[in-house]
Amino acid sequence: MPSAKRDHLIDTALRLFNRDGYHATGIDRVIEEAGVARMTLYNHFKSKDELILAALARRDERFLAWIDGRLRALAETPRDRLLAMFDALGEWFQSDDFSGCMFINASAEFGQADNPIHKAAADHKILVWRHFRDLAKAAGAADPRDLASSLMLLAEGAIVMAYVAGRKDAAAQARKAAGQLIKQAGLAQAATA
């Protein structure tokens, strides 16, 4: 049964991990910010790693729901939603709480491929890739997997450039390249491209 205190701990940790990083955010900081006793945290999570995994699961759920909602709001057709992905990313890059991708950051801080946190980050990226693939397939791409892989590389590169290099226009630049890839994939160009 979900607990309000558990949810509050996850949301607090999510905010802190996103803003400050995983290793830089200690359990004492999460406890202090959440306003709970140490025992409360350990009643819900056996370790900091377990809390990180819960925060990543929450972020995964929220991000995928957000991106799906934004794509539906920004475009009607699957082809146009492929491009709208970059418009949505651009909105995210402009937001006050943009601190890069929590999953890219997690994979960097937990670099061993067999680490559960690294695996959670990889699983998220697979889900995003599948979203691209499903849209490419619905749009009628001859090779939806290949198009999805290319668009995913553009999206991930835009995220990194927006965060690391401060290029808030990275999504717009990636969108231009995505338009070319979509056209090369045999999809008719829409008026919004």
Side-chain angles (χ1 to χ4, degrees):
M1 179 163 100
S3 155
K5 284 190 179 186
R6 184 179 192 280
D7 283 342
H8 179 61
L9 282 164
I10 293 170
D11 288 339
T12 301
L14 179 65
R15 180 175 46 81
L16 293 172
F17 293 148
N18 183 51
R19 186 185 71 203
D20 301 328
Y22 301 96
H23 293 316
T25 303
I27 287 293
D28 289 341
R29 178 67 187 226
V30 174
I31 290 168
E32 178 186 332
E33 291 277 328
V36 299
R38 179 175 296 276
M39 188 54 71
T40 301
L41 184 133
Y42 286 111
N43 282 338
H44 294 284
F45 303 99
K46 294 177 186 169
S47 66
K48 180 180 176 182
D49 284 2
E50 193 174 292
L51 178 60
I52 291 170
L53 287 168
L56 286 173
R58 173 81 40 93
R59 177 64 180 155
D60 178 69
E61 177 185 299
R62 287 180 179 170
F63 182 81
L64 293 175
W66 173 79
I67 201 72
D68 187 58
R70 290 307 300 142
L71 295 185
R72 291 180 187 283
L74 292 168
E76 292 185 21
T77 68
R79 186 232 180 254
D80 289 345
R81 286 180 182 156
L82 287 169
L83 284 173
M85 179 73 79
F86 297 93
D87 298 328
L89 289 176
E91 292 173 5
W92 178 37
F93 300 167
Q94 297 298 327
S95 69
D96 291 339
D97 66 343
F98 177 69
S99 297
C101 172
M102 286 188 69
F103 300 95
I104 293 172
N105 297 344
S107 69
E109 289 196 44
F110 300 90
Q112 295 292 332
D114 63 346
N115 183 296
I117 295 168
H118 191 96
K119 286 180 180 179
D123 289 346
H124 170 77
K125 295 303 180 183
I126 290 168
L127 291 175
V128 174
W129 176 85
R130 286 180 182 158
H131 199 79
F132 272 121
R133 181 204 59 201
D134 293 347
L135 286 171
K137 186 175 183 179
D143 189 345
R145 296 174 64 86
D146 184 62
L147 181 57
S149 294
S150 296
L151 294 175
M152 184 75 176
L153 286 171
L154 286 174
E156 294 302 309
I159 293 168
V160 171
M161 291 303 293
Y163 181 59
V164 175
R167 293 284 312 269
K168 301 299 184 184
D169 67 336
Q173 291 296 313
R175 188 185 197 280
K176 289 179 188 176
Q180 291 301 314
L181 290 171
I182 290 167
K183 186 176 179 181
Q184 290 170 6
L187 303 179
Q189 188 161 355
T192 60

